[in-house]
Amino acid sequence: MPAATDPLVRITVALPLGRLHEREGEAGASALLTHLLTTRGAAGAGDPLSLRLAELGTSLSAVETLDATYLSLNVLPEDWRAGLELLVGLLRGPDLDARTIRASRAGAGYAMPMAGIVGAGYRPKVELERFVLGYPLAPPEPGMSVPLAAVRALAARSLAADRVVFGIGGAVIRAEAEGALESATDGWAASGEPAPEPGVIEPGEPSSRFHAVDVPSLEGWIAIGRVVGAVPETDRAPLAVLRFILAERLNIAAREKRGLANRDDFEIPETASGTGLLLVRTGGRPEAVGPLVRYSLDEIARMHDPDAPVTDAEVTRARGWLIGAVWQRSLELATDASRTFAVEAVRHGSAGRLMDWPEAVRAVTAVDVKRVAQEYLNPAGFTTVVVGPLAEVRAARHPRWPVALDDLEAELLRRK
């Protein structure tokens, strides 16, 4: 039955689409295909996609990750059938306009202007990806073209009827949604072959442990990270708990104790295999950049140190956050749950892992956290990237925490 707390209907389609699904010769095709789906609409559609969305009073959002992409729109309950038909039409018959594809070139891969640390387009993260490994961890180099055949081949694999997963949640009756979906997708061709597994990024040795990029900005922005390959299932929940504890420690060191930044965060990859980039994101005024690098690296080293304990209280807070603030909230509203289940189905084939997640998290101990910290947080494996007004950053000194960026750079390069 419709949920009284969900006045809207969210329609999501999750796709096995991302750089880890690209084959040889297809670099950049996933981002370009997503762009075509969200701008050109369906081939032969009478009205432009922008007009059809405006008539529904909505917009189409796209979230791209290394191994999955999902498109969502929110509509009023009376418009959910039209919204569903719009999304189905996009995927069944995308407008893969040859002229548009031939004229397209890969973009910078990051967002401007330099402000804030959130989002996939955070420039220091993208610069770090390029420095430590390159494609497919990083986006393709700017200016690269994508062959028409590559886009068509990726679309044939990713947009087949047995590849896409729809999620419909909110003020809609389940049986009606199922019937409408069956009708809208009738005759949609399946791929006819088993779903290929997304690739796994193989970590390599970084060429340098420090890089700086000069960009006009009021502040300096920082990414500190390392690449990980496939993460065993036994490490997933302990690594998630570690993620919360290290983020908490980073914020205490940078914000609570020293007032250097609004946020000093740590993230782990969100991919089916666990492969990707372990990453610290932070930034601040020029005089804060050196101290932020110093104290962030110190917290990584402290977490990795076998003699520095992780407390039971830290583990308890982390478990509560992972279950109550992340897992539970992802399923609380029908609109959120529909998206969560769709993405989970694309990544893992079912909701089994999702439903077992709370039990796995509750079983994590401080010993487990220290074990994965030893495995994944060796400071020698991390590379630091600073992006911002380098002359100001190098000359600045914080009145209470006068850490020089030049000294840190020399130290990191010496340890290589």
Side-chain angles (χ1 to χ4, degrees), residues 363-412:
V364 174
T365 66
V367 172
D368 296 325
V369 175
K370 289 305 293 188
R371 175 179 62 79
V372 295
Q374 288 288 290
E375 176 69 23
Y376 298 100
L377 292 189
N378 185 346
F382 282 77
T383 297
T384 298
V385 171
V386 172
V387 179
L390 294 185
E392 294 179 50
V393 170
R394 294 186 186 281
R397 295 293 183 275
H398 194 281
R400 295 191 64 193
W401 321 106
V403 180
L405 186 66
D406 288 347
D407 293 342
L408 282 172
E409 179 178 3
E411 174 188 332
L412 292 171

Side-chain angles (χ1 to χ4, degrees), residues 292-360:
L292 281 169
V293 173
R294 171 77 283 157
Y295 301 122
S296 296
L297 290 171
D298 286 350
E299 291 304 319
I300 293 172
R302 183 163 74 97
M303 182 66 83
H304 179 261
D305 183 355
D307 296 323
V310 168
T311 68
D312 291 339
E314 287 179 307
V315 174
T316 298
R317 285 197 300 274
R319 291 189 305 216
W321 176 78
L322 286 168
I323 296 171
V326 180
W327 181 85
Q328 184 173 321
R329 287 182 186 176
S330 74
L331 301 174
E332 274 183 343
L333 297 178
T335 46
D336 294 329
S338 60
R339 180 171 61 195
T340 298
F341 283 121
V343 175
E344 193 74 8
V346 162
R347 283 206 171 116
H348 299 287
S350 73
R353 184 179 180 276
L354 175 70
M355 304 316 292
D356 291 341
W357 183 243
E359 182 179 353

Side-chain angles (χ1 to χ4, degrees), residues 151-165:
V151 179
R152 288 176 172 170
L154 184 62
R157 296 196 307 274
S158 300
L159 307 185
D162 54 343
R163 297 286 192 266
V164 304
V165 178

Side-chain angles (χ1 to χ4, degrees), residues 54-191:
E55 289 173 345
L56 291 173
T58 189
S59 60
L60 185 61
S61 66
V63 175
E64 304 172 63
T65 69
L66 286 171
D67 70 343
T69 295
Y70 61 88
L71 314 179
S72 296
L73 51 82
N74 295 326
V75 292
L76 294 172
E78 59 265 30
D79 292 328
W80 71 264
R81 292 178 184 274
L84 176 62
E85 290 172 0
L86 186 153
L87 269 183
V88 171
L90 289 181
L91 301 171
R92 290 192 68 166
D95 186 1
L96 306 182
D97 180 68
R99 182 178 300 178
T100 300
I101 293 171
R102 292 191 181 103
S104 298
R105 296 293 182 270
Y110 50 79
M112 291 293 281
M114 294 287 294
I117 68 170
V118 298
Y122 180 55
R123 179 167 180 176
K125 174 180 180 288
V126 176
E127 300 284 6
L128 176 63
E129 291 168 342
R130 288 186 168 136
F131 282 130
V132 300
L133 198 63
Y135 174 88
L137 178 67
E141 290 297 321
M144 189 196 74
S145 61
V146 181
L148 175 62
V151 179
R152 288 176 172 170
L154 184 62
R157 296 196 307 274
S158 300
L159 307 185
D162 54 343
R163 297 286 192 266
V164 304
V165 178
F166 282 88
I168 304 173
V172 59
I173 297 173
R174 179 187 179 95
E176 292 182 2
E178 290 175 342
L181 186 58
E182 287 292 331
S183 175
T185 59
D186 183 47
W188 190 346
S191 63

